[in-house]
Amino acid sequence: SNIAGPIPDSIGKLTNLVLLDLYSNRLSGTIPPQVGNLGELKYLLLNQNLLTGQVPHQMGALANLELVLLDHNSLNGTLDDTLCPAVTSDAKVSADCGADDPEVTCSQCCQICLEDEDDAYEPGDWVRYDGQDRWKKKYGRYLFAFEDTSV
């Protein structure tokens, strides 16, 4: 996809959403705090975008998360105080927490820590289940477009 611009605050109204796959777009700005309203969310794929800022503390309310991919963005801050307390020990999390001076601190829940210089990586078995991406096992892929209603 080539979705560009910010993730709209209205994303928080999709309270029954289980999969949010916005991987590899041109999303910019911060992750809206309203993402914390997605209480049923299991799979959050925001990797390979242009997102900035800190992961909102409201994401600590997402207790059903099984997979969170945040790498290859320009996020900063710590996941140890925001996201990590919410995810289960089996949850799979990736972020830009590699290097000597990482953008993101994640010592509690990240299975893979990448650096900006890292090329796109092959997630491998930690993201896959029976040879398929975990989220494709039960969920199809549908494409939606965000509309700017503020104009």
Side-chain angles (χ1 to χ4, degrees):
S1 298
N2 278 320
I3 301 171
I7 300 171
D9 294 346
S10 58
I11 196 87
K13 294 179 182 177
L14 304 173
T15 55
N16 292 321
L17 196 66
V18 175
L19 165 66
L20 180 57
D21 182 356
L22 297 173
Y23 153 80
S24 193
N25 284 287
R26 291 177 288 131
L27 295 171
S28 58
T30 60
I31 299 171
Q34 292 82 353
V35 168
N37 297 338
L38 307 178
E40 299 300 315
L41 198 63
K42 290 185 178 184
Y43 307 99
L44 178 60
L45 290 75
L46 298 178
N47 53 324
Q48 296 186 23
N49 279 289
L50 305 170
L51 297 170
T52 59
Q54 297 187 1
V55 172
H57 69 87
Q58 291 87 342
M59 286 181 61
L62 302 177
N64 292 318
L65 289 173
E66 295 178 18
L67 179 70
V68 183
L69 304 180
L70 299 173
D71 57 271
H72 286 86
N73 282 293
S74 292
L75 298 170
N76 57 52
T78 180
L79 300 183
D80 292 335
D81 298 332
T82 54
L83 181 68
C84 292
V87 298
T88 66
S89 59
D90 332 351
K92 308 300 182 191
V93 180
S94 73
D96 295 326
C97 49
D100 293 333
D101 186 22
E103 294 174 10
V104 174
T105 303
C106 185
S107 62
Q108 297 177 11
C109 65
C110 289
Q111 280 76 22
I112 188 165
C113 286
L114 297 164
E115 300 177 33
D116 279 340
E117 297 80 29
D118 290 338
D119 292 327
Y121 66 98
E122 177 57 43
D125 292 336
W126 73 277
V127 174
R128 297 224 159 95
Y129 178 77
D130 288 341
Q132 291 186 26
D133 293 335
R134 290 175 180 268
W135 58 95
K136 291 181 184 174
K137 204 70 172 145
K138 295 181 182 175
Y139 307 100
R141 177 171 278 188
Y142 302 94
L143 300 177
F144 296 95
F146 298 131
E147 292 182 27
D148 186 359
T149 58
S150 64
V151 190

